[in-house]
Amino acid sequence: MKRYFRELSVVGTLLAVLLGLALFAPAFFSPQPLLSLVTREAPTLVVAAGMACIIITRQIDISVSSIFSVCSVCAGLLVARGWPLVLVLPASVGLGALFGAFNGFLVAVMRLPSIVVTLATMVTLRQGLNLIRQGEFVNLPDRVQWFGLSQTAGQLVLVGFALVLLVTLAWAMRHLAAGRYLYAVGTDAEAARLAGIRPQLVTLFVFVFIGSLTGLGAMMNLAQSPQVQPLTGNGLELKVIAAVVVGGVAISGGRGNLWGAFAGLLLLACVSPALTHLHIEAYWEKAVQGAIILLAVVADGLRSRQSNR
Amino acid sequence: MSTAAHAPASYLRPRRDWRALLTRHEMLLLYVLIAEWLFFYFAGTSTNRRGVIVGFGTWDRQFDILRHSCEIGLLALALTPVIITAGIDLSVGSLLGLCAILFGKLWHDGGLPIPVAMGLTLGIGALAGALNAILITALRLPPLIVTLGTYSLFRGLAEAITRGSITYTDFPEKFLFIGQERWLGLPTQAWVFFMVALAMGLMLHRTTFGRAFRTIGLAPEGARYAGLPVERRLALAYVLAGLIAAIAAIIYTARLGQAKADAGTGYELFAITAVVLGGTSIFGGKGTILGTLLGVAAIAVLKNGLACLPVVMRLNAAEEMSGLLTGALLLVALTASVLPKILSNLRPHRHTSAQSTPQLSQ
Amino acid sequence: MSSPLLVLRQIVKNYGGVRALRGVDFDLRAGEVHALLGENGAGKSTLIKIVTGAHSPDGGTITVVGQRVVDLTPATARALGIACIYQQPALFPDLTVAENLALRLDATNMHARIDWTARRARATSLLSRIGAAISPDTEVRALSMPEQQLVEIACALGSGARIVIMDEPTASLTQKEQRLLYAVVQDLRKNGVGVIYISHRLEEIFALADRVTVLRDGQSVGTHAMGDINEAGLIRLMVGREVAQIYPAAQSAPGASVLSIRGLGCKSSGVHDVSFDVRAGEIFGLGGLVGAGRTELARILFGLTPADSGQITLAGKILHLRSPQDAVAHGIAYVPEDRRRHGVVLDLPLAQNITMAVHRRLFPKTWLRFGAERVLTLNYIRDLAVKCAGPDAHGSSLSGGNQQKIALARWLATQPKLLILDEPTQGVDIGAKNEIHKIIRRLAQEGLAVILISSDLPEVIGMSDRIGVMAQGTLRTILPSGSDPHTVMAAALGTAA
């Protein structure tokens, strides 16, 4: 109980927000808009899971937004050329993994700080995409949206898939040695090395992993609309990092879990509709999100100060 | 004690090693800048039908480059001390937006005279910087995540205040003079930029503050053991960053003649790129204002020069092309910065000193 | 007696020019507790590092259970059944106890499945075997230092180690925990495990050990069965040599009291009830063993960990030191123990290192005055005979002794009233050591009050005008200059010899 206090407090806050909405804006809970909201967040959730892993390993990846956009556009183009989805999916995941490997190489092998490396890849990829596509949309054939199913069915499939993935990953983080290695490396890379783990390999792996998850998220996004816009991923990195940090994953590594990140994401995702339903202008969304991040970080800071005493 | 052998009188003058000077990071960057400039001069200048020289090789264009590099340049100047202390400030771009909006609001809705609004805006910038500073120094939170939070907060406040749509315009001529006219031959804002650069340069290289920043960046514990006021100096770096972001906001507003909530979006990335390109180590402790200025110039010339190139060469997308090249340049600069370290790690160590106390291995 | 588990013959280890071990013989039998005893710097920890494979010896042979081992690495050492419990447990603080045990004990591959139930069960059984009431699901972060040590011991047990090394395991344990530990050691012995037991507590060694080996100056000065030797004999073996080095002698009597501390204490660093005076021109030596609280006391006096009880008076003024800046402003200077991390900023030029603490005085208008800085630096380079390429040379280009002189110069430049030196000659070669001793004596002669913290017994006895001996966070006794090394050692060990 005490161990998961941080996660539980996020869940508590989320429940409080939902309760508040139930009292003051019951319209929020009408099934279809709620499902749409959750579906919109499904790809973000997948990327957030990757981000949780990478922050647990004491790294950061802010290039996910660009990787997301590039994968979306590339996948869109392939689909438009008539590739079947079964082939486009691995292509998108593979492309993401490739970018992740590039980041991972610079961080793990060249020992560069991940914040600057991924900043550089983010700018390069985003501008490269703009250069080639000139902001052009990719129109997708009808068979792609909701996989050719009805909207509700498609949404259920996407949400279901995201949840299954989350459960699997959360299980793996806890029950596979590889998952525990992330924590070990994030806590103390040197101690991990002495315990027989290879921190560089783990770092490389986790970058490849978040890359592939981003490619996967891009595919899940693709299935939601009739066209792909090249700016689709912009701002994703902040949203995801915010969700993960609010969810109790410590930016200093080694601490936190996917469930917390999930709760954090839901909490942040609720901000916008909550504002609308509570008749507060939606322009406050970003400010409120920023304040939530700061609040979470300050809480962590105060807690660690107390425990150090 | 026979000390004469150890300290000859020539020590009194600093030694100048010309070879080391010519291969310094700043010099290398200067070569790149000159090469870049020459390339655009020859490839980007042409004569139009009426026999007038147009494109990169005109004075107007050069001034334009200067005019457009002021805001990012100011942010880069603000970030240099922060990065030298081994910190980072991602919030400067958002703060630029917030300050621009508040400036517009103070003048337009508040009815304050321009100079008063300017003064208040600078105060707000410093306050916002102080928020970062308090969270980072008093609560010992990592700068990366704190400024990520304020990045979101400041931009969000700007959007909330303008409801995402209000744009403040119709600023008086006199104010626009700062951003759109020339004074003593140079774009007006360039004077502000150079003044700030001079001030920062003096602070970083000629005062004890700069010394403290460097020491903190290299060895925060060592600085504390030397009796340096680590927290206060760190706080100063972030407050200054906020203040300079506010200056940049005023100049931005004057150049465009309008204040919008999205002012300065993404500027922090270019500013960080310029700083790192200028040779400031992201691990802290090393860096110069001159390097930052050259880094800013390299990016600005690239951006502007590309726009002057014939369509065939720039694929009709100068903006994106320059962004792409900037990112690539940053990657190359980063890699180059660690190559010597990696190479020296491969080589066997020259001297193993007697006092290298073995570390406890677990 | 059974066959030897571990035999070391003629082990030699050099760190640069310093000979840490010069031909040590040691053997450990199955089912015995073999104590290893010696002053700080006698070579105990080096020997341990060689046995655990953390360092490779420069000469000599290692034989484990009759098998000659070449190229001992931490991994092979573990495979051979060698486990070590360090003073400072090296666990992953964010992970649970069960998990920490698993990370150490299981040779896993990336895709291995983790059986949490089995992990927990094993952790529970191991912990209960040593009688520790720790839940396997607690995060290590939440454990106290002794509890963490118990986890380390459980880890050693779990690895099925045949050779267990305990490096001062009781240093931070409570009485009850100590008794638990003794029981564990007896249990190990009964099971045929060989234990190498390092401790400064003689009564503990007499209670637990079967044999004892004493190290001195990197050499073994004898192995004895516990029955054949008494406390006085052990102390004699440890101290042994006469104070061979010539230390510069005091030439005048010390003056008025400069520093006076009464009942000083700080809960978080474990220092309590320390009272003494230091007079102008006096070198007050602080002796004691590692962990006795000497560095912690220095940190209190320098404002790094503010005191929460007692009183500090400097030159008649009562001080409340909240930060190093306070201490510096009042004329207290501290040359820290960790020269490379705290004493000198290695990546900065000497000039900047030397003027770092005198920014206010040398650059009163915050503008740097390079000329003044250079003159000051050159003065100190000349005065302390620092061997360097000039004021622009970086700290990292200097030898240890010269780095130490730079660290000293930084604080001399502040013209302090009180100078605290923490292990000023550690890792310094003999020549530089002598020079530093002369400098310290000269400074005292000039009227400075000096506190000299040193684990080098001859040094602290030879240099000091009075010797305060600390143990367990407090000042035990104050001995006069030129005291018998045995008396000092006995006081440090806490025995009434």
Side-chain angles (χ1 to χ4, degrees):
Chain A
M1 195 65 182
K2 209 172 130 197
R3 236 191 113 191
Y4 295 109
F5 175 78
R6 184 65 176 69
E7 284 77 17
L8 289 173
S9 66
V10 180
V11 173
T13 317
L14 178 64
L15 289 178
V17 170
L18 291 179
L19 186 71
L21 280 170
L23 289 177
F24 299 106
F28 177 77
F29 289 97
S30 44
Q32 188 51 46
L34 198 61
L35 184 60
S36 294
L37 172 74
V38 179
T39 317
R40 263 204 309 282
E41 298 301 332
T44 321
L45 174 62
V46 174
V47 183
M51 190 62 82
C53 295
I54 217 152
I55 293 183
I56 285 170
T57 325
R58 203 192 265 170
Q59 302 290 348
I60 199 155
D61 186 348
I62 53 178
S63 67
V64 283
S65 55
S66 296
I67 297 179
F68 192 86
S69 299
V70 171
C71 286
S72 296
V73 170
C74 289
L77 287 173
L78 290 180
V79 170
R81 285 220 182 135
W83 283 41
L85 281 178
V86 224
L87 286 182
V88 178
L89 179 70
S92 174
V93 172
L95 189 64
L98 205 65
F99 290 131
F102 179 72
N103 283 333
F105 173 79
L106 289 177
V107 174
V109 182
M110 303 293 283
R111 312 254 172 168
L112 288 165
S114 53
I115 168 85
V116 193
V117 165
T118 53
L119 181 73
T121 40
M122 166 175 156
V123 175
T124 314
L125 286 180
R126 175 174 299 168
Q127 299 295 347
L129 184 67
N130 289 351
L131 178 68
I132 294 165
R133 294 298 301 168
Q134 296 284 311
E136 209 180 312
F137 282 37
V138 185
N139 288 310
L140 300 174
D142 288 342
R143 68 188 161 89
V144 179
Q145 199 179 7
W146 311 124
F147 312 105
L149 303 167
S150 75
Q151 186 181 349
T152 314
Q155 284 177 331
L156 285 175
V157 168
L158 278 178
V159 173
F161 178 74
L163 286 179
V164 168
L165 194 74
L166 178 76
V167 172
T168 319
L169 282 180
W171 178 86
M173 286 292 279
R174 188 154 168 72
H175 292 281
L176 286 190
R180 306 318 291 172
Y181 285 0
L182 301 188
Y183 286 92
V185 172
T187 304
D188 188 342
E190 183 55 22
R193 198 180 62 77
L194 288 170
I197 300 169
R198 288 159 69 191
Q200 281 176 290
L201 201 66
V202 172
T203 308
L204 183 64
F205 163 80
V206 80
F207 271 99
V208 173
F209 187 59
I210 190 175
S212 13
L213 282 181
T214 311
L216 185 63
M219 278 306 289
M220 294 170 65
N221 194 42
L222 193 75
Q224 294 190 30
S225 62
Q227 51 193 191
V228 183
Q229 46 154 320
L231 300 176
T232 174
N234 279 13
L236 179 72
E237 76 282 6
L238 289 172
K239 196 171 175 188
V240 170
I241 293 172
V244 168
V245 170
V246 167
V249 178
I251 203 84
S252 50
R255 201 176 168 80
N257 60 45
L258 295 186
W259 295 113
F262 180 44
L265 181 67
L266 286 183
L267 182 60
L268 288 179
C270 280
V271 169
S272 168
L275 290 180
T276 330
H277 282 99
L278 298 175
H279 306 290
I280 300 170
E281 284 162 293
Y283 313 111
W284 284 95
E285 182 182 355
K286 221 176 200 168
V288 173
Q289 283 179 346
I292 294 179
I293 301 177
L294 286 181
L295 217 66
V297 182
V298 168
D300 283 351
L302 289 177
R303 244 161 66 90
S304 77
R305 265 191 132 188
Q306 236 160 26
S307 70
N308 278 349
R309 246 168 231 166
Chain B
M1 274 182 260
S2 68
T3 52
H6 306 134
S10 64
Y11 282 174
L12 278 171
R13 273 174 292 119
R15 271 184 313 152
R16 288 191 196 284
D17 185 344
W18 289 106
R19 257 181 61 196
L21 202 64
L22 287 179
T23 52
R24 273 183 63 164
H25 187 99
E26 286 86 347
M27 288 308 284
L28 297 178
L29 191 57
L30 186 63
Y31 305 147
V32 171
L33 182 62
I34 292 171
E36 205 183 358
W37 194 87
L38 287 176
F39 170 76
F40 288 123
Y41 184 78
F42 289 112
T45 316
S46 54
T47 316
N48 71 5
R49 260 173 276 147
R50 274 177 289 161
V52 181
I53 296 172
V54 292
F56 191 79
T58 60
W59 279 110
D60 280 350
R61 181 60 75 164
Q62 298 304 313
F63 286 139
D64 223 38
I65 296 179
L66 190 53
R67 196 185 291 285
H68 281 98
S69 52
C70 282
E71 292 117 38
I72 288 181
L74 280 169
L75 295 189
L77 288 176
L79 280 174
T80 308
V82 169
I83 296 182
I84 283 179
T85 63
I88 190 108
D89 189 344
L90 298 177
S91 70
V92 284
S94 300
L95 185 53
L96 191 159
L98 179 61
C99 284
I101 284 301
L102 288 173
F103 173 69
K105 196 172 176 64
L106 285 171
W107 170 74
H108 188 269
D109 299 349
L112 294 171
I114 291 280
V116 178
M118 276 187 191
L120 284 176
T121 308
L122 296 186
I124 291 164
L127 266 182
L131 174 65
N132 282 331
I134 288 170
L135 293 175
I136 291 165
T137 59
L139 292 176
R140 303 250 169 113
L141 296 170
L144 174 68
I145 195 69
V146 167
T147 57
L148 190 71
T150 48
Y151 164 98
S152 202
L153 180 70
F154 295 156
R155 179 73 64 200
L157 284 175
E159 282 174 8
I161 290 167
T162 58
R163 301 203 179 80
S165 58
I166 300 172
T167 305
Y168 297 99
T169 51
D170 298 327
F171 288 99
E173 281 294 303
K174 263 193 180 157
F175 172 66
L176 297 180
F177 180 79
I178 298 173
Q180 299 173 353
E181 300 295 319
R182 288 194 204 159
W183 188 61
L184 299 180
L186 286 181
T188 321
Q189 64 262 58
W191 292 104
V192 179
F193 176 44
F194 288 143
M195 287 296 292
V196 173
L198 186 69
M200 294 301 278
L202 285 176
M203 186 186 75
L204 216 51
H205 302 293
R206 289 287 180 275
T207 70
T208 53
F209 293 106
R211 283 280 174 85
F213 292 154
R214 257 166 245 278
T215 312
I216 293 167
L218 287 171
E221 274 302 294
R224 195 163 277 123
Y225 271 84
L228 292 175
V230 175
E231 270 76 29
R232 262 184 301 175
R233 291 295 172 269
L234 271 179
L236 175 71
Y238 288 94
V239 172
L240 271 181
L243 183 69
I244 297 178
I247 299 177
I250 292 170
I251 287 177
Y252 178 96
T253 314
R255 177 169 65 85
L256 291 179
Q258 57 176 17
K260 265 174 31 183
D262 67 347
T265 306
Y267 277 22
E268 62 280 344
L269 300 186
F270 286 99
I272 293 171
T273 308
V275 174
V276 174
L277 207 56
T280 299
S281 162
I282 200 79
F283 301 106
K286 297 187 177 75
T288 60
I289 289 293
L290 183 66
T292 298
L293 290 179
L294 289 170
V296 172
I299 292 177
V301 167
L302 184 70
K303 197 166 174 176
N304 245 276
L306 280 168
C308 299
L309 290 183
V311 175
V312 210
M313 290 173 77
R314 63 179 152 98
L315 302 167
N316 204 14
E319 187 83 4
E320 291 82 5
M321 192 76 163
S322 74
L324 177 70
L325 287 176
T326 308
L329 210 56
L330 178 57
L331 280 175
V332 172
L334 274 176
T335 316
S337 71
V338 290
L339 267 185
K341 206 163 80 185
I342 288 190
L343 288 179
S344 74
N345 275 351
L346 294 178
R347 250 179 270 138
H349 290 289
R350 254 187 309 120
H351 55 137
T352 37
S353 41
Q355 69 291 340
S356 66
T357 33
Q359 298 288 306
L360 197 71
S361 61
Q362 269 196 316
Chain C
M1 278 281 181
S2 44
S3 67
L5 280 174
L6 172 76
V7 180
L8 304 178
R9 284 288 169 263
Q10 291 304 311
I11 298 290
V12 176
K13 178 71 191 175
N14 300 321
Y15 291 118
V18 178
R19 305 192 72 189
L21 294 177
R22 25 184 119 192
V24 173
D25 290 343
F26 183 85
D27 64 281
L28 179 71
R29 302 182 192 130
E32 83 162 341
V33 177
H34 193 148
L36 199 55
L37 205 57
E39 284 175 47
N40 303 321
K44 287 169 303 184
S45 42
T46 312
L47 194 66
I48 295 313
K49 278 175 187 146
I50 283 170
V51 175
T52 54
H55 289 271
S56 51
D58 297 325
T61 61
I62 304 171
T63 315
V64 180
V65 208
Q67 224 180 358
R68 173 89 188 270
V69 186
V70 201
D71 269 351
L72 195 66
T73 64
T76 47
R78 215 174 310 147
L80 285 167
I82 300 172
C84 183
I85 296 147
Y86 290 100
Q87 254 171 306
Q88 295 287 320
L91 300 164
F92 297 99
D94 289 319
L95 305 182
T96 64
V97 172
E99 179 132 37
N100 265 287
L101 288 174
L103 268 173
R104 288 284 195 78
L105 299 179
D106 302 342
T108 42
N109 44 347
M110 292 276 261
H111 44 81
R113 171 85 199 274
I114 289 166
D115 187 345
W116 281 95
T117 331
R119 273 186 168 189
R120 232 175 259 131
R122 176 174 62 185
T124 316
S125 82
L126 284 174
L127 289 168
S128 70
R129 198 171 137 200
I130 59 171
I134 301 170
S135 152
D137 289 325
T138 347
E139 277 175 71
V140 167
R141 169 187 299 281
L143 296 179
S144 68
M145 196 55 89
E147 284 175 323
Q148 291 190 24
Q149 220 154 24
L150 291 174
V151 174
E152 284 266 7
I153 293 169
C155 194
L157 278 180
S159 67
R162 289 177 293 181
I163 299 168
V164 175
I165 302 162
M166 295 189 176
D167 191 355
E168 299 233 31
T170 54
S172 56
L173 299 191
T174 63
Q175 292 260 312
K176 190 177 152 231
E177 286 160 336
Q178 279 178 31
R179 275 200 297 279
L180 266 177
L181 183 90
Y182 295 161
V184 172
V185 173
Q186 300 295 1
D187 184 49
L188 286 173
R189 173 170 29 201
K190 234 182 290 157
N191 290 317
V193 175
V195 179
I196 302 177
Y197 195 92
I198 299 171
S199 175
H200 286 305
R201 300 188 182 179
L202 292 186
E203 77 272 13
E204 202 171 281
I205 288 178
F206 278 101
L208 275 178
D210 301 303
R211 289 193 301 163
V212 58
T213 293
V214 179
L215 288 184
R216 194 170 73 213
D217 297 330
Q219 275 171 315
S220 163
V221 289
T223 301
H224 298 271
M226 277 333 291
D228 301 347
I229 198 159
N230 58 13
E231 279 193 8
L234 273 183
I235 291 178
R236 205 176 308 121
L237 278 177
M238 281 168 76
V239 179
R241 86 204 120 158
E242 291 310 305
V243 180
Q245 237 179 319
I246 308 298
Y247 290 91
Q251 273 150 19
S252 57
S257 166
V258 171
L259 173 81
S260 157
I261 59 182
R262 291 288 171 268
L264 198 63
C266 172
K267 277 216 186 70
S268 65
S269 60
V271 174
H272 57 95
D273 302 317
V274 178
S275 309
F276 62 84
D277 282 52
V278 185
R279 287 172 288 171
E282 181 185 40
I283 300 176
F284 185 81
L286 267 185
L289 301 161
V290 170
R294 295 167 304 162
T295 297
E296 289 74 9
L297 177 64
R299 286 172 55 90
I300 295 173
L301 289 174
F302 194 57
L304 281 159
T305 41
D308 46 27
S309 61
Q311 192 179 27
I312 305 170
T313 319
L314 188 76
K317 255 200 305 194
I318 295 173
L319 305 186
H320 299 281
L321 303 169
R322 299 270 122 213
S323 68
Q325 288 98 281
D326 288 353
V328 175
H330 287 109
I332 298 175
Y334 174 48
V335 180
E337 180 180 12
D338 191 339
R339 184 171 56 231
R340 299 169 71 83
R341 271 182 58 217
H342 302 145
V344 181
V345 180
L346 295 177
D347 290 331
L348 283 179
L350 301 186
Q352 296 195 22
N353 264 301
I354 289 182
T355 57
M356 200 173 280
V358 287
H359 280 176
R360 283 257 176 88
R361 193 168 54 81
L362 194 62
F363 315 123
K365 299 198 174 90
T366 74
W367 296 107
L368 301 177
R369 293 157 59 221
F370 293 101
E373 175 169 70
R374 245 183 146 63
V375 169
L376 183 88
T377 309
L378 285 173
N379 276 342
Y380 278 108
I381 289 179
R382 200 170 299 142
D383 193 28
L384 304 182
V386 180
K387 292 188 188 68
C388 63
D392 297 323
H394 279 209
S396 52
S397 69
L398 266 56
S399 73
N402 286 302
Q403 283 178 359
Q404 191 65 46
K405 287 180 188 172
I406 296 296
L408 198 56
R410 172 193 294 173
W411 290 109
L412 294 184
T414 64
Q415 301 171 342
K417 298 188 185 92
L418 170 72
L419 177 66
I420 307 168
L421 299 164
D422 198 347
E423 305 285 0
T425 59
Q426 200 175 55
V428 164
D429 63 86
I430 282 288
K433 198 167 168 176
N434 252 320
E435 284 179 53
I436 291 174
H437 286 154
K438 278 187 193 138
I439 295 168
I440 297 172
R441 180 47 79 190
R442 197 187 77 208
L443 292 171
Q445 214 66 54
E446 287 163 15
L448 195 62
V450 179
I451 295 180
L452 172 68
I453 299 172
S454 174
S455 297
D456 183 350
L457 203 50
E459 176 177 274
V460 83
I461 292 169
M463 287 297 299
S464 311
D465 298 318
R466 283 184 305 148
I467 306 152
V469 184
M470 286 190 75
Q472 272 129 30
T474 191
L475 191 70
R476 277 295 152 84
T477 172
I478 297 179
L479 300 166
S481 166
S483 290
D484 186 24
H486 301 143
T487 327
V488 179
M489 180 54 83
L493 289 167
T495 54

